[in-house]
Amino acid sequence: MVERSRSLGRPFWTFWGAAALANLGDGIRVAAFPLLAAALSDDPVAVAGVAAAQFLPWLVAGLLAGALADRRGARTVIAAADAGRVVVLAVLTAAVATGGASIPLVVAAAFLLGVGETVRDTAAQTAVPRLVTGAQLEKANGRLVAGEIVGNEFLGPPVGALLFVVGAALPFAVNGAALALAVMLVLSLPLSLARPGLGPGAADAAVSTAGPAAARGGALAGLRWLVRQPLLRTLVVVGAAVAAADSAWFAIFVLYARESLGLGALGFGLLLATGAAGGLAGSFAADRLIARFRHRHVLTWSLATAAGVPLLLVVAPHRVAAVAVVVTTSASFAVLNVAALSIRHRLVPEGLLGRVVAASRMLTFGCTALGALAGGALAARAGVEAPFLFSGAVAVIATLAWWRSSHLAAPAGPA
């Protein structure tokens, strides 16, 4: 059974503060970028191009970001990535304020900011085992997921939209200021995070180590290690499948809400905010659930719930059911993320963590994009309820695959 410690310590909370500021900035851009793109062009392709440019870096630079995180200290990489994003935001802010912004410039800025986010997020995951003990991993990851939800879903988007109404350049200026503060917090972290190697909590957090050889190898080393690790390999694959199923129904959820629930733009926004509340609750409850039921059981139920509960909307197309679905699925995904992060921190060798994180996220983001496309195609051919049925089928297959794999691997891992 996983033990929990009460105090996470000042270094962790300093790191959390920097992450919270970065997530707030990311949330601000979620609203500001599409608003800016729409103000500059009426072309749907141009507007979609700005959105795509923010996610493309994970597919283009993900593995390289993992290699960088393993070869350089987390503090150095995070500070450099955020400082680079401050520069990009300063240029974009000046261009918007002076009327010199254009779609190509915005696309370039979105891509560069996405690269910085990819590098930062990958390096940040390698820092957690060095800041807390192994007994605190679940609690620490839960607090980080909570901060991400608050910044990306609760505060960031409405703040970004409000700032854009006041002045088109303002959200990007505020984003840059938040990241500048985050850089200062990161630079105040312990020097142990400025170089790769085992930190205070990594030694008792990892179940396996690979010695000095783990830090060597190319950008594909983490992917090769992941393929040979049956428990994590299965978890990444089923997690990516569930992410695809989630994006399939969520991609057309706005249409379902309008056609089947009779919700307008305001009602849909409130529905999503309610779902974020579920995610926040799940992130705070995750460490207690894992301590009581262990990783394997928590992951089994969170996988099944995250992808299976949307089926409720096929048989009960009502607003109350929709609230139950968004709250439950968001909470399940929060618990799933905390448990998966903690297992990864416990099993992956220190020198490979960045590259394994990058390989895992590349697969997840790729499947998320494919899931959204599949959801749109299913809805067009078979009706708006079809993506919910697809999600339910994935829930059964993914949950059974994880249960069997984790059962076979249980003696060798924390599951």
Side-chain angles (χ1 to χ4, degrees):
M1 184 172 291
V2 177
E3 297 179 359
R4 294 182 292 116
S5 177
R6 289 186 177 181
S7 176
L8 294 172
R10 174 181 280 185
F12 171 81
W13 287 114
T14 301
F15 177 78
W16 184 93
L21 286 168
N23 284 318
L24 176 62
D26 294 343
I28 288 173
R29 290 201 312 278
V30 165
F33 261 137
L35 289 171
L36 177 60
L40 293 173
S41 175
D42 294 329
D43 184 0
V45 175
V47 176
V50 173
Q54 299 177 72
F55 297 101
L56 185 61
W58 274 107
L59 300 179
V60 175
L63 292 179
L64 294 177
L68 182 64
D70 286 335
R71 289 187 171 89
R72 298 287 185 268
R75 192 178 81 160
T76 303
V77 173
I78 293 172
D82 282 349
R85 292 202 287 172
V86 170
V87 173
V88 173
L89 285 164
V91 173
L92 179 60
T93 300
V96 174
T98 59
S102 64
I103 287 295
L105 175 65
V106 175
V107 168
F111 178 78
L112 292 174
L113 291 170
V115 170
E117 184 179 352
T118 298
V119 173
R120 186 201 202 283
D121 288 353
T122 302
Q125 289 205 17
T126 70
V128 177
R130 305 183 201 174
L131 289 169
V132 299
T133 65
Q136 296 173 312
L137 279 174
E138 285 72 24
K139 184 176 181 180
N141 284 323
R143 301 307 178 264
L144 286 168
V145 170
E148 182 177 350
I149 291 172
V150 170
N152 284 349
E153 300 179 32
F154 266 135
L155 293 180
V159 169
L162 178 62
L163 290 173
F164 189 86
V165 172
V166 177
L170 197 54
F172 305 104
V174 172
N175 187 182
L179 283 175
L181 289 174
V183 171
M184 289 188 282
L185 287 176
V186 168
L187 291 177
S188 71
L189 289 169
L191 286 174
S192 61
L193 289 179
R195 55 185 180 274
L198 290 175
D204 62 354
V207 172
S208 62
T209 57
R216 296 196 293 268
L220 295 175
L223 183 59
R224 289 193 293 266
W225 184 90
L226 186 61
V227 169
R228 294 193 296 265
Q229 219 290 342
L231 183 68
L232 275 185
R233 181 183 66 223
T234 303
L235 179 57
V236 169
V237 171
V238 300
V242 169
D246 179 71
S247 66
W249 69 265
F250 194 77
I252 55 87
F253 191 43
V254 64
L255 299 177
Y256 177 89
R258 185 181 65 194
E259 296 173 9
S260 301
L261 304 178
L263 292 177
L266 178 59
F268 183 68
L270 291 174
L271 181 61
L272 297 185
T274 304
L280 191 60
S283 65
F284 277 101
D287 64 306
R288 295 176 177 84
L289 291 172
I290 295 169
R292 182 173 181 180
F293 299 110
R294 298 184 65 84
H295 297 82
R296 181 193 181 205
H297 299 285
V298 169
L299 281 166
T300 300
W301 285 108
S302 59
L303 286 166
T305 303
V309 166
L311 273 173
L312 178 63
L313 292 176
V314 177
V315 297
H318 304 296
R319 295 181 181 182
V320 174
V323 170
V325 167
V326 296
V327 169
T328 305
T329 55
S330 295
S332 299
F333 266 107
V335 174
L336 172 62
N337 287 336
V338 172
L341 283 172
S342 301
I343 281 189
R344 189 181 299 144
H345 284 148
R346 292 174 182 277
L347 292 182
V348 180
E350 169 76 4
L352 280 173
L353 184 56
R355 282 167 285 182
V356 172
V357 167
S360 302
R361 289 198 163 197
M362 277 187 64
L363 179 62
T364 300
F365 276 98
C367 288
T368 299
L370 291 175
L373 294 175
L378 284 170
R381 286 180 172 271
V384 75
E385 294 86 5
F388 299 99
L389 296 172
F390 169 71
S391 184
V394 171
V396 174
I397 297 171
T399 303
L400 290 176
W402 163 252
W403 181 259
R404 175 173 173 77
S405 177
S406 62
H407 176 72
L408 294 175

